Amino acid sequence: MKQPDYREIEGGLPFYALVGFIGVFVLAALGAAFYMEHNGHWVTGMSNQIVWGTPHVFAVFLIVAASGALNVASISSVFGKIPYKPLARLSGLLAIALLVGGLAVLVLDLGHPDRLIVAMTYYNFKSIFAWNIMLYTGFMAVVAIYLWMMMERRMNDYTKAAGMAAFIWRLVLTTGTGSIFGFIVARQAYDAAIMAPMFIIMSFSFGLAIFILVLMGLYNWSQRPLGDVILFRLKNLLGVFVAAVLYFVIAYHLTNLYGTENHGVERFLLVDGGVYTNVFWFVQIGLGSLLPLALLYGPAGKSRLWIGIACLLIIIGGLAQMYVIIIGGQAYPMELFPGKDVSSSFYDGVVASYTPSLPEIMLGIGGVALALAATVIGTRVLRFLPVSLADDQVDPHHPAADAA
Amino acid sequence: MLKNSLIVMLLVFTAGFALQGRAGDDPLLPVIPAAQARFSATQGCVEPTEDMRKNHMKYILHKRDETMHSGIRTSKYSLKECINCHVSDAPDAPRVSSTQHFCNSCHSYAAVDIDCFQCHADRPVKTGHGLSLSPGGARHAMNGASPGQAQPENRPILAVEGNAHE
Amino acid sequence: MSEESGIDIYRRRFLGGAAGAAAGMAVVPGVFLHRIGHAKPADQGVTDKVRWGMLIDSNKCAEGCDDCVQACNDENGLTGFNRPETDAQWIRKVSLRDRQTGHTQTLPLLCQHCEHPPCVDVCPTGASFKRADGIVLVDKHICIGCRYCMMACPYKARSFIHEDLHDQMPYAPRGKGTVESCTFCVHRVDSDRTPACVETCSAEHHDAMLFGDLNDPTSEISKALQKYTTRQIRGDLQLNTGVRYRGI
């Protein structure tokens, strides 16, 4: 198969306009972070009951998606699927960009973001958070090396090894992210071994959805051909991942429902939790899982527009899933005194209320914007994007290629 | 040409010497407020002044770990005791936000940010460790002092009462 | 030479101060009802020979009484901002009503000072730590304000400081952007006294709270724990809490 030709995207006014537009959201996020840090977190919707809010929803989503975005590169390097090879560089770039975006949101929401050095020098190794700090920064280094192996012709022989290392690293990373919640014994919505593998499969789904959307967007923007062969392979794979996530969600809830002690929290999430129930059924399951499956595998799956819409819905569904897990899981009161109605001045025994505030939303969106900006700038500066992903370029057995 | 430039240099040097004020008069150098007492007749602080100026952070950091993790609350190097001695507890005394506060007078000059007083009290607070226990007594003393019913604070005396005030 | 005389003067002053403190403590009437047996030398670190614990008798806890809460707020300078959702609470009164029987009771809920604290396990920097004598604390110097410990605490004992603070108590530093919780009034415990909540409860003759050394079989609390049936809240988590309850 002919080696794909990579080239940077065009610069000029349209490029600067695009980066400028995305940059506005990044600046807004910085302003929001300063506002939160300067005044203290009372200006946000977070409280002593809901300690992790919208910024964490975005941050965890981006971090989970980051490791999933590397999937495409892993499929080519680790599993040897040749049609995915031209996409590997963009996959690595997107993985790093999404991780940077997520980490930025996480750090800027800290009570003391000025103590980042402390976080990187004092470690409690029993804490999965401490491990995650090293996994996240290490991931960026590992993927950077992987990209170097791919992009430097003399290092191409080591691509497979680097790809394997990156693949294992990102599995450990996502396990660590899921375990943030899985290791919490205190809350019924967490404290489950399934959290880690569920996050892994979520990363596959969200990461690939973002990848497809970014791919279509960049190729549209730079007017390069993107053939159906590769696109349909990606979208079919995406459907598998969406179905897998649905399976894990079902397994999680069914297991919880079996034990009487969990009936309260399950009832809260699935039936009478108000916003959490609505977001779970309508957005996460309906819009985010079932509808995209129908779109991807039905007749609409041949249309680029509907593929794009399906990806967008999966992303929205993913954010919804994070919202239900992170915020819904905190909203339900902890069971300290089983069988008793509890009340206090510290909101024991009652469902905690939470409304996302504007600074939080701006910070979260800024993280997304930062990831997009990094990706766009990356493709402008270095050769991440193949010149053509037309069918004959991608598939050596395509009729057009054979005829040539 | 050389003569002209020599004259200019001479003028600049002279001006420089003339404008260089004495330390107390120079508005650019920090005015560090005096402490409320001395450690001893021969030494102002718990260590010699120059040593403290250079190393006070090292002492404070070491002491804080001892206090936090081992519960050692002796006075030497204790931030609370530094404040007790170096900062006045008069109601109109400068707070840490002002450049007339002992710590900030030098730190603002040196442009070294300190965040100690985000958490720590920046002036001595005389409170009782035993509170007023009469039922219905004033609760929620908003600024720390239990009015009128404070027990004398049992401060280990480091510098102070009875010592020579120079 | 001056250094020597400085140390001599320091020692003299310290002994004088300690004597004055002891005298002062003896003089102050009616405050110190539960004197702790051991006096830890001031310049020595705490050890695990002692384990501090508390016994709370819910039967003696009156509905509507919040003396312990008020005492804690006063002692530690917990100022509120009329924002109950974000204001810090180190101890709170909890009211219980049995769904089956209708029986009601109240009890104070505070940091349980677990032997195996989940908050200590999850803290990424190690700011949340357990002292050798069992008191669980937050080293606010290295707390980055991530609030993971608040997620992990099974008792919702921790609070995050959501705004700038001023006029803190010198012995209870607290500030924006860090997490905090009940310290068992560690500044009192280190000078041989009891937490403010316990002291007030005793002084007001409610006698619902008892504080002492769990490792000392002759301490009042150990004898009470031997004699009466007591429970931990969420004992199934096997955290071996330092705070035990009667009547739940």
Side-chain angles (χ1 to χ4, degrees):
Chain A
M1 176 197 152
K2 190 164 82 77
Q3 272 282 45
D5 193 18
Y6 298 91
R7 206 189 309 143
E8 305 91 333
I9 61 174
E10 296 295 316
L13 188 55
F15 169 76
Y16 288 116
L18 176 63
V19 173
F21 174 69
I22 301 174
V24 166
F25 292 96
V26 175
L27 284 176
L30 288 173
F34 178 75
Y35 176 68
M36 280 164 53
E37 201 271 332
H38 185 71
N39 290 295
H41 273 61
W42 76 274
V43 300
T44 70
M46 293 181 272
S47 63
N48 285 326
Q49 288 69 243
I50 306 285
V51 304
W52 284 352
T54 306
H56 300 82
V57 169
F58 276 93
V60 175
F61 174 81
L62 285 169
I63 291 170
V64 162
S67 80
L70 194 63
N71 240 5
V72 175
S74 303
I75 293 174
S76 78
S77 298
V78 175
F79 298 102
K81 300 286 183 211
I82 296 181
Y84 290 84
K85 214 160 158 282
L87 306 172
R89 297 186 188 187
L90 177 64
S91 168
L93 172 66
L94 193 57
I96 296 180
L98 287 169
L99 191 68
V100 167
L103 287 178
V105 173
L106 209 55
V107 167
L108 288 174
D109 167 79
L110 289 175
H112 263 281
D114 53 309
R115 291 189 185 166
L116 194 55
I117 298 291
V118 171
M120 311 215 348
T121 47
Y122 287 71
Y123 283 107
N124 166 27
F125 284 116
K126 194 159 180 200
S127 163
I128 192 67
F129 241 29
W131 282 108
N132 279 351
I133 292 172
M134 292 198 285
L135 285 169
Y136 296 156
T137 46
F139 180 77
M140 292 193 272
V142 168
V143 177
I145 293 174
Y146 180 31
L147 280 171
W148 174 42
M149 301 297 163
M150 287 193 274
M151 292 167 79
E152 170 68 61
R153 191 161 306 165
R154 288 172 292 176
M155 308 299 290
N156 277 356
D157 289 336
Y158 307 109
T159 303
K160 193 172 162 106
M164 178 66 87
F167 181 63
I168 292 174
W169 194 283
R170 61 64 115 241
L171 285 178
V172 178
L173 182 152
T174 319
T175 304
T177 308
S179 297
I180 291 173
F181 302 97
F183 286 178
I184 293 182
V185 294
R187 298 182 191 254
Q188 283 169 306
Y190 308 145
D191 187 27
I194 201 176
M195 297 304 283
M198 189 162 78
F199 270 60
I200 297 248
I201 202 66
M202 280 157 65
S203 79
F204 285 16
S205 170
F206 307 156
L208 187 53
I210 293 177
F211 181 84
I212 293 175
L213 217 48
V214 167
L215 186 70
M216 295 205 298
L218 280 173
Y219 272 73
N220 219 325
W221 172 269
S222 57
Q223 284 159 347
R224 301 184 187 191
L226 176 64
D228 280 348
V229 168
I230 188 65
L231 188 60
F232 287 2
R233 278 184 89 126
L234 289 170
K235 71 106 174 154
N236 284 334
L237 185 60
L238 180 59
V240 173
F241 293 156
V242 172
V245 173
L246 206 49
Y247 164 74
F248 269 82
V249 170
I250 293 171
Y252 166 83
H253 284 287
L254 277 182
T255 311
N256 268 354
L257 278 167
Y258 200 86
T260 312
E261 64 170 339
N262 293 323
H263 281 181
V265 68
E266 282 295 317
R267 186 183 182 79
F268 171 71
L269 289 173
L270 301 180
V271 178
D272 57 16
V275 62
Y276 307 105
T277 306
N278 293 336
V279 167
F280 177 77
W281 287 114
F282 293 127
V283 189
Q284 177 185 333
I285 301 294
L287 286 181
S289 306
L290 297 175
L291 183 55
L293 277 175
L295 289 175
L296 291 173
Y297 288 133
K302 300 269 189 282
S303 147
R304 302 230 162 171
L305 174 65
W306 285 111
I307 292 177
I309 290 177
C311 291
L312 195 57
L313 289 175
I314 291 168
I315 292 168
I316 293 173
L319 283 167
Q321 185 162 8
M322 286 302 175
Y323 192 90
V324 172
I325 291 176
I326 294 176
I327 300 181
Q330 294 176 79
Y332 187 73
M334 283 190 285
E335 199 68 75
L336 266 63
F337 304 99
K340 303 211 190 260
D341 286 329
V342 180
S343 64
S344 78
S345 58
F346 208 38
Y347 300 92
D348 292 290
V350 295
V351 170
S353 66
Y354 170 77
T355 317
S357 63
L358 188 60
E360 293 173 75
I361 298 173
M362 280 165 56
L363 181 58
I365 292 180
V368 177
L370 182 61
L372 287 176
T375 309
V376 170
I377 293 173
T379 51
R380 166 80 191 98
V381 166
L382 289 173
R383 298 183 185 181
F384 287 101
L385 282 190
V387 169
S388 167
L389 286 174
D391 294 341
D392 53 351
Q393 297 293 320
V394 168
D395 181 0
H397 303 294
H398 196 271
D402 288 342
Chain B
M1 177 61 194
L2 180 61
K3 188 168 131 197
N4 283 343
S5 50
L6 277 173
I7 291 173
V8 168
M9 279 197 306
L10 190 62
L11 283 171
V12 168
F13 264 111
T14 315
F17 270 113
L19 292 171
Q20 184 189 72
R22 289 180 297 279
D25 295 328
D26 187 334
L28 296 178
L29 285 175
V31 175
I32 304 177
Q36 310 214 65
R38 295 181 61 84
F39 177 71
S40 73
T42 46
Q43 195 174 292
C45 190
V46 299
E47 300 290 353
T49 304
E50 277 316 308
D51 183 16
M52 280 309 259
R53 282 204 179 138
K54 198 165 153 206
N55 296 323
H56 64 280
M57 208 49 219
K58 203 167 57 133
Y59 297 132
I60 291 176
L61 283 174
H62 182 65
K63 182 70 178 180
R64 101 178 176 197
D65 290 338
E66 280 188 343
T67 304
M68 279 265 30
H69 289 262
S70 309
I72 296 172
R73 292 173 197 271
T74 48
S75 333
K76 200 172 184 202
Y77 308 140
S78 151
L79 186 67
K80 184 159 72 102
E81 290 308 321
C82 303
I83 297 296
N84 281 346
C85 192
H86 280 286
V87 181
S88 155
D89 59 352
D92 59 348
R95 307 303 298 268
V96 69
S97 47
S98 140
T99 53
Q100 271 118 44
H101 185 272
F102 171 75
C103 307
N104 207 21
S105 64
C106 205
H107 271 274
S108 60
Y109 169 78
V112 176
D113 247 349
I114 47 171
D115 64 354
C116 322
F117 303 104
Q118 280 184 23
C119 288
H120 284 277
D122 62 345
R123 63 173 175 188
V125 179
K126 282 200 176 45
T127 64
H129 278 233
L131 299 169
S132 156
L133 296 173
S134 52
R139 306 277 187 208
H140 281 296
M142 290 301 273
N143 58 2
S146 302
Q149 289 142 333
Q151 311 296 343
E153 197 200 37
N154 300 315
R155 294 195 271 153
I157 302 160
L158 184 56
V160 172
E161 294 83 285
N163 200 357
H165 290 268
E166 248 103 66
Chain C
M1 195 51 207
S2 70
E3 200 184 8
E4 241 179 63
S5 59
I7 292 175
D8 280 344
I9 290 179
Y10 166 65
R11 283 208 188 108
R12 229 173 279 147
R13 296 270 171 255
F14 178 78
L15 283 174
M25 276 167 66
V27 158
V28 169
V31 175
F32 302 106
L33 299 179
H34 296 281
R35 185 86 60 115
I36 302 166
H38 324 255
K40 168 183 86 75
D43 58 349
Q44 280 181 30
V46 295
T47 64
D48 58 359
K49 288 204 188 61
V50 169
R51 188 188 169 196
W52 298 117
M54 200 183 273
L55 175 58
I56 297 176
D57 188 347
S58 167
N59 300 315
K60 294 198 183 135
C61 201
E63 174 113 29
C65 171
D66 65 349
D67 284 346
C68 51
V69 177
Q70 304 286 5
C72 175
N73 292 348
D74 286 343
E75 174 73 17
N76 295 295
L78 303 188
T79 52
F81 295 87
N82 269 324
R83 295 193 282 258
E85 283 183 340
T86 56
D87 286 343
Q89 295 190 38
W90 291 16
I91 183 174
R92 65 214 190 247
K93 282 298 295 290
V94 171
S95 302
L96 307 178
R97 186 188 160 280
D98 191 304
R99 275 184 219 125
Q100 181 68 34
T101 64
H103 172 75
T104 60
Q105 63 186 129
T106 68
L107 46 83
L109 189 54
L110 62 163
C111 168
Q112 304 286 291
H113 296 278
C114 312
E115 187 190 350
H116 305 286
C119 64
V120 171
D121 286 343
V122 301
C123 177
T125 60
S128 176
F129 72 101
K130 188 182 68 163
R131 234 165 61 149
D133 58 358
I135 299 184
V136 177
L137 297 168
V138 178
D139 183 347
K140 293 169 197 176
H141 307 102
I142 54 177
C143 174
I144 57 174
C146 74
R147 290 103 74 200
Y148 195 15
C149 59
M150 294 174 73
M151 286 287 259
C153 176
Y155 307 98
K156 207 161 87 77
R158 290 228 157 144
S159 300
F160 181 62
I161 309 291
H162 291 75
E163 51 276 298
D164 274 318
L165 296 181
H166 307 280
D167 293 316
Q168 296 93 327
M169 293 299 198
Y171 45 79
R174 43 195 300 264
K176 179 179 73 169
T178 56
V179 175
E180 59 176 17
S181 64
C182 157
T183 59
F184 263 177
C185 282
V186 64
H187 54 283
R188 285 170 157 250
V189 172
D190 282 347
S191 49
D192 252 10
R193 286 177 292 190
T194 58
C197 51
V198 177
E199 197 165 285
T200 302
C201 192
S202 307
E204 302 285 336
H205 305 293
H206 307 310
D207 295 322
M209 299 173 86
L210 188 55
F211 179 81
D213 179 6
L214 298 175
N215 281 353
D216 174 10
T218 63
S219 69
E220 218 176 308
I221 188 175
S222 294
K223 290 197 267 201
L225 286 170
Q226 280 247 320
K227 183 169 165 194
Y228 302 113
T229 305
T230 60
R231 277 191 59 208
Q232 307 172 43
I233 302 178
R234 296 190 86 170
D236 56 305
L237 295 179
Q238 309 254 31
L239 304 175
N240 192 14
T241 58
V243 178
R244 306 293 177 101
Y245 289 81
R246 283 179 70 189
I248 61 165

